[in-house]
Amino acid sequence: MALTQYSISGARKVLRRYHTLGLDGLGDGRADNRGAPTVLTQAEQQQFAARLREDFDQGIFWSGKMVQDWVQAHFGKTVYLSRTYEFMRLAGFSPQRPRPRHVGGDITAQDEFKSKF
């Protein structure tokens, strides 16, 4: 256990797998995990990407909530907000938002500070 850094229960699980499956039981079980299934079909992804590029050229930037509402309206599919960022990345975009500004920040003082450097 000092060599492998396994806990007692972890070492017992590995031994159990070895006794039932042999050497194949020692392999990484995550290798065959394909992840979550895709929500949008290939055609739907292309349609979404085209709309995203079209709006980007016009200066419209999409948020995750906008993507969520658009997918619901056009495809009738309810998606979690975290999956919308996946759709944006597949379309070649990354979800970005401007950095927050401090409420009491003085823009002229900030510009003067930047001009010094």
Side-chain angles (χ1 to χ4, degrees):
M1 286 183 3
L3 180 67
T4 62
Q5 298 295 315
Y6 281 121
S7 64
I8 293 173
S9 62
R12 286 182 179 152
K13 287 180 186 177
V14 171
L15 279 173
R16 230 178 285 125
R17 277 200 325 257
Y18 175 72
H19 289 303
T20 57
L21 302 173
L23 285 176
D24 292 335
L26 298 180
D28 188 1
R30 300 170 297 177
D32 296 328
N33 186 1
R34 300 287 178 218
T38 58
V39 176
L40 299 179
T41 65
Q42 190 68 23
E44 290 171 342
Q45 286 176 1
Q46 290 174 354
Q47 186 179 355
F48 170 70
R51 175 65 190 268
L52 201 59
R53 284 188 198 98
E54 190 178 294
D55 284 355
F56 179 76
D57 292 339
Q58 296 175 5
I60 301 170
F61 302 102
W62 285 45
S63 66
K65 181 67 175 154
M66 289 174 65
V67 173
Q68 195 175 28
D69 294 339
W70 191 86
V71 169
Q72 174 67 35
H74 284 80
F75 304 130
K77 296 180 179 181
T78 304
V79 293
Y80 290 107
L81 190 61
S82 58
R83 295 299 298 263
T84 61
Y85 303 120
E86 173 189 334
F87 303 152
M88 291 175 75
R89 286 186 188 96
L90 287 172
F93 291 88
S94 62
Q96 298 180 2
R97 69 168 50 150
R99 292 189 63 157
R101 300 286 181 184
H102 192 276
V103 177
D106 184 12
I107 295 175
T108 57
Q110 292 172 4
D111 291 337
E112 289 175 14
F113 180 77
K114 291 177 187 175
S115 66
K116 289 179 185 177
F117 296 101

